[in-house]
């Protein structure tokens, strides 16, 4: 998020959770909505190529306005890491139309809020405001799509802010250092192994020309997705979008996002960080797996259910076995990253509790992996996991931001609105055999990366 890139790994996980916990949007009146108000999700494309998605939610007079660019850290040129995130800062500077700070002041004046975030595949900017303020938000956001002032002074000022952010949120946090090194080890060739915030020396080396070229290439209407959620309707949004964004000239067509792919990974690897600030050790086992976009049909849904049964929540196998029954761990679980253009990651983790040591926890984690590979899952577990995911869909609908986040993340990573609305049917098609097959195909310890966060030698471990 703006000035908060440290949560990149967490956000990736959040995006995955969102991508799985998909709301089943329906046409027609819903509980709490006014009679005759349309709640159907709609989408259209302006003549200049800007994709627009409208997610009506009439329960409160609030609107969320999000502009997503299909560019993230994985699209950066070699040696130019951090440039996508750098723009997350620069875009809050002035334009040739409005001086620096005027956009933020206008949002604050109407009691709204704003933020931005960068990931491997996208960069997004959003505001939450009353629906009556939507025209003004569109004018400001459309203006900075093309009229940003990239002065040397602004660049140097924000460079120092970015470097300080990196020091605070990565270089001074042991778990963040380990996470960065884990990613660099997990991805041997793909740019997902490069941190979103960038390597320090490459941030220091970014030039005015680098930034200008990046802005001119990627900040174009035909490389963006506008998502408007809240107390709005599609006709109003279309009219406003055409009056603002629609006046921006289409940019040159960009080539497909062809990135270096991973070779077949053949080795088990481990990354260890010892740090005096660590008081209780923890470990994780990481595998890269295909994203929803690149997986075979039904495979990603099977991986999602696998992760749900294995380690997501207090009723999961890992939590029940390690924390509740054996009482050897203070935490244990798993998560699946999902909303990505190329690869995802499936991660299991554990932290010892009581008198247990980390080796005992690791052995128990491995035992549960092997058990699910050899014995599979039960039909009851499958149905429970599916119900839990669908239940999460309902809870998710309470948040405009999460709904808008979902559509933006999926559309900027190569998906479509239909990919989202069709998820319940795809989950129904998953079988117990498919989940076991996914476990056997991907949870191979001979190709996993283990991460250990440990105290200094001689301290508790």
């Amino acid at each position: 998020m703006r000035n908060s890139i440290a949560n990149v790994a967490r956000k990736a996980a959040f995006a995955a959770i969102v991508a799985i916990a998909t709301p089943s949007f329906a046409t027609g009146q819903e509980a709490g909505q006014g009679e005759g108000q349309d709640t159907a999700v709609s989408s259209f494309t302006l003549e200049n190529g800007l994709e627009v998605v409208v997610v009506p939610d009439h329960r409160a007079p609030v609107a969320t306005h999000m502009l997503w660019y299909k560019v993230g850290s994985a699209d950066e040129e070699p040696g130019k890491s951090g440039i996508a995130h750098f723009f997350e800062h620069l875009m809050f500077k002035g334009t040739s139309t409005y001086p620096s700070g005027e956009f933020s002041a206008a949002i604050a004046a109407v009691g709204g809020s704003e933020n931005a975030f960068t990931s491997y595949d996208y960069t997004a900017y959003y505001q939450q405001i009353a629906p009556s303020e939507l025209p003004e938000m569109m004018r400001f956001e459309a203006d900075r799509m093309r009229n940003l002032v990239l002065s040397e002074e602004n660049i140097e000022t924000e460079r120092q802010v970015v470097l300080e952010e990196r020091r605070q949120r990565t270089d001074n946090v042991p778990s963040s250092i380990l996470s960065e090194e884990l990613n660099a080890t997990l991805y041997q060739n793909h740019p997902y192994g490069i941190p979103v915030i960038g390597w320090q020396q490459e941030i220091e080396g970014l030039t005015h020309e680098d930034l200008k070229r990046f802005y001119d290439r990627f900040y174009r209407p035909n490389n963006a997705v506008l998502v408007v959620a809240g107390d709005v309707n599609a006709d109003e949004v279309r009219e406003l979008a055409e009056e603002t964004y629609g006046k921006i000239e289409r940019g040159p067509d960009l080539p497909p996002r062809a990135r270096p792919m991973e070779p077949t990974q053949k080795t088990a690897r481990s990354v260890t960080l010892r740090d005096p600030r660590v008081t209780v050790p923890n470990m994780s086992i990481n595998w890269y797996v295909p994203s929803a976009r690149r997986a075979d049909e039904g495979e990603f849904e099977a991986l999602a259910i696998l992760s749900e049964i294995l380690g997501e929540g207090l009723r999961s196998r890992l939590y029940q076995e390690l924390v509740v029954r054996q009482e050897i761990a203070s935490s244990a679980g798993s998560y699946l990253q999902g909303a990505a253009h190329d690869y995802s990651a499936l991660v299991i983790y554990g932290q010892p509790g009581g008198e247990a040591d980390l080796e005992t926890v690791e052995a128990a984690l491995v035992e549960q992996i092997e058990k699910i590979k050899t014995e599979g899952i039960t039909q009851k577990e499958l149905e429970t996991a599916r119900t839990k995911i669908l239940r999460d869909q309902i809870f998710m609908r309470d948040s405009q931001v999460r709904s808008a986040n979902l559509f933006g993340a999926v559309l900027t990573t190569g998906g479509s609105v239909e990919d989202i609305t069709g998820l319940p049917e795809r989950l129904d098609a998953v079988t117990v055999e498919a989940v076991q097959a996914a476990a056997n195909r991907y949870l191979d310890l001979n190709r996993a990366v283990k991460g250990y966060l440990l105290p200094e030698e001689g301290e508790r471990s």
Side-chain angles (χ1 to χ4, degrees):
M1 305 187 86
R2 183 186 181 189
N3 304 326
S4 180
I5 197 65
N7 284 333
V8 165
R10 185 177 299 171
K11 283 193 298 189
F14 169 74
I17 293 168
V18 171
I20 294 306
T22 306
S24 178
F25 290 99
T27 301
Q29 186 180 342
E30 299 189 342
Q33 309 256 12
E35 184 176 356
Q37 290 180 317
D38 183 17
T39 59
V41 177
S42 60
S43 63
F44 51 90
T45 303
L46 302 187
E47 289 186 3
N48 60 10
L50 178 71
E51 296 178 65
V52 184
V53 178
V54 184
V55 188
D57 178 355
H58 302 290
R59 294 173 298 172
V62 178
T64 298
H65 172 246
M66 276 190 173
L67 187 65
W68 295 68
Y69 291 96
K70 299 177 188 177
V71 59
S73 64
D75 300 298
E76 296 161 345
E77 296 176 23
K80 307 292 182 186
S81 67
I83 193 168
H85 169 253
F86 206 143
F87 265 94
E88 187 188 313
H89 289 252
L90 291 170
M91 287 289 279
F92 288 87
K93 294 298 184 181
T95 69
S96 56
T97 312
Y98 303 106
S100 180
E102 186 163 333
F103 190 3
S104 295
I107 296 167
V110 298
S113 60
E114 64 175 335
N115 219 320
F117 49 89
T118 311
S119 186
Y120 299 108
D121 298 308
Y122 48 74
T123 309
Y125 305 84
Y126 72 92
Q127 304 85 37
Q128 271 200 307
I129 34 76
S132 59
E133 306 302 328
L134 197 54
E136 187 170 15
M137 296 303 107
M138 287 193 179
R139 278 196 297 273
F140 274 110
E141 196 67 89
D143 172 66
R144 68 177 175 177
M145 179 184 284
R146 291 303 319 138
N147 297 323
L148 187 67
V149 175
L150 285 170
S151 69
E152 293 285 358
E153 181 182 2
N154 286 345
I155 291 170
E156 290 311 312
T157 299
E158 290 308 311
R159 190 197 310 275
Q160 296 312 311
V161 174
V162 171
L163 289 170
E164 179 58 24
E165 181 182 338
R166 186 186 156 84
R167 284 190 287 270
Q168 286 188 5
R169 300 183 181 276
T170 302
D171 299 330
N172 291 335
V173 181
S175 59
S176 296
I177 297 171
L178 179 65
S179 178
E180 192 171 88
E181 297 294 333
L182 265 172
N183 264 353
T185 306
L186 182 63
Y187 294 104
Q188 298 177 322
N189 195 44
H190 193 278
Y192 286 170
I194 298 172
V196 173
I197 196 170
W199 301 116
Q200 178 176 330
Q201 75 278 11
E202 293 185 356
I203 299 169
E204 291 171 340
L206 293 173
T207 67
H208 178 276
E209 181 55 34
D210 294 332
L211 293 159
K212 183 71 166 54
R213 186 169 62 248
F214 187 90
Y215 180 65
D216 286 342
R217 182 179 189 193
F218 294 112
Y219 278 67
R220 300 282 189 173
N222 49 313
N223 194 47
V225 178
L226 172 66
V227 182
V228 181
D231 192 15
V232 297
N233 66 60
D235 291 340
E236 293 170 347
V237 172
R238 181 191 287 270
E239 182 177 349
L240 292 173
E242 287 176 342
E243 291 175 354
T244 51
Y245 295 103
K247 295 180 179 178
I248 302 172
E249 184 180 355
R250 180 189 180 94
D253 289 337
L254 290 169
R257 300 166 102 172
R259 297 155 168 176
M261 293 290 105
E262 281 294 293
T264 300
Q265 298 193 352
K266 302 173 182 175
T267 59
R269 289 145 285 157
S270 69
V271 180
T272 301
L273 176 66
R274 287 190 178 273
D275 191 287
R277 292 167 291 186
V278 176
T279 56
V280 180
N282 64 68
M283 71 88 57
S284 65
I285 307 176
N286 306 258
W287 296 269
Y288 89 86
V289 298
S291 66
R293 174 176 173 270
R294 290 194 176 274
D296 294 339
E297 183 177 351
E299 193 173 51
F300 189 78
E301 289 76 14
L303 283 167
I305 287 179
L306 170 64
S307 180
E308 183 71 44
I309 293 170
L310 193 58
E312 297 196 32
L314 302 182
R315 302 303 303 171
S316 67
R317 286 192 180 194
L318 292 179
Y319 191 90
Q320 285 294 308
E321 184 63 27
L322 275 69
V323 178
V324 177
R325 195 184 74 77
Q326 296 187 34
E327 298 182 344
I328 59 173
S330 59
S331 69
S334 68
Y335 61 89
L336 173 70
Q337 297 175 352
H341 192 270
D342 295 318
Y343 296 104
S344 180
L346 198 155
V347 181
I348 69 169
Y349 59 87
Q351 184 170 40
E355 298 302 317
D357 57 27
L358 192 60
E359 290 75 14
T360 302
V361 171
E362 180 178 348
L365 290 172
V366 171
E367 182 181 0
Q368 291 303 311
I369 293 168
E370 296 304 320
K371 185 176 181 181
I372 210 165
K373 289 168 66 177
T374 56
E375 300 177 12
I377 64 170
T378 66
Q379 186 66 34
K380 183 178 180 181
E381 284 180 310
L382 172 62
E383 292 169 1
T384 300
R386 197 153 44 203
T387 300
K388 183 173 181 297
I389 292 172
L390 294 174
R391 183 196 66 192
D392 288 343
Q393 298 177 9
I394 298 170
F395 293 149
M396 178 184 165
R397 303 181 73 171
D398 269 343
S399 169
Q400 277 183 21
V401 172
R402 291 186 68 194
S403 293
N405 213 329
L406 166 64
F407 282 92
V410 171
L411 267 65
T412 52
T413 53
S416 66
V417 171
E418 290 71 28
D419 289 337
I420 299 170
T421 55
L423 183 63
E425 289 75 18
R426 298 201 304 277
L427 284 175
D428 281 344
V430 176
T431 64
V432 293
E433 291 80 12
V435 175
Q436 186 176 9
N440 276 291
R441 180 173 182 181
Y442 291 108
L443 303 190
D444 183 352
L445 291 170
N446 294 318
R447 295 186 291 115
V449 179
K450 295 180 179 178
Y452 298 92
L453 186 61
L454 306 175
E456 289 281 29
E457 294 281 5
E459 299 183 26
R460 181 183 175 185
S461 65

